[in-house]
């Protein structure tokens, strides 16, 4: 294999700023911050999500970010800081790298939703799709 996931994660970690749960929780009140949940919809239904987060399935991310895509979501054209998260922080680190390469001010939540819950931060039920 030319490039495995461990190297991909290491490369992304060298380029993307990751934020701790404490930092993300403190930044949540900032209207210039968007928490982006990239987990599978079944994970959201089962586990809930960070209150106020925007759900963007990982498989559609590039298409939702690109304004030239027929699937573009205006939420990604607001010029804000986007903190991506998944269950453990691996998918979100790779997603944040892609988003950063596409021109967004992107971050990744270190430890993902699992660390968020472990830290006792609030969790909301899933309310809306995409």
């Amino acid at each position: 294999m030319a490039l495995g996931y461990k190297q991909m994660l290491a490369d992304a970690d060298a380029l993307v700023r990751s934020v701790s749960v404490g930092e993300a929780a403190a930044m949540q009140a900032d209207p210039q911050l968007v928490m982006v949940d990239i987990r599978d919809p079944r994970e959201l239904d089962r586990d809930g999500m960070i209150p106020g987060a925007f759900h963007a399935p990982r498989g559609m991310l590039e298409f939702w970010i690109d304004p030239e895509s027929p699937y573009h979501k205006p939420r990604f054209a607001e010029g804000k800081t986007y903190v991506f998260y998944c269950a453990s922080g691996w998918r979100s680190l790779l997603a944040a790298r892609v988003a950063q390469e596409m021109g967004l001010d992107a971050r990744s939540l270190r430890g993902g939703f699992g660390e968020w819950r472990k830290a006792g931060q609030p969790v909301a039920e899933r309310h809306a799709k995409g």
Side-chain angles (χ1 to χ4, degrees), residues 10-88:
D11 292 347
D13 196 38
L15 297 171
V16 173
R17 179 172 170 234
S18 290
V19 296
S20 69
V21 168
E23 289 173 303
M27 295 179 346
Q28 263 198 303
D30 183 347
Q32 291 303 308
L33 176 86
V34 178
M35 297 294 288
V36 182
D37 191 321
I38 63 161
R39 295 175 300 150
D40 181 275
R42 291 169 296 208
E43 292 175 277
L44 276 65
D45 291 340
R46 181 186 66 224
D47 301 324
M49 60 192 301
I50 294 174
F54 175 68
H55 180 234
R58 176 63 190 98
M60 291 300 294
L61 190 60
E62 292 85 348
F63 303 102
W64 284 20
I65 292 172
D66 187 343
E68 294 184 22
S69 165
Y71 301 103
H72 174 67
K73 297 291 184 186
R75 188 71 190 254
F76 287 114
E78 295 177 347
K80 296 185 177 188
T81 298
Y82 298 87
V83 177
F84 293 85
Y85 72 91
C86 62
S88 67

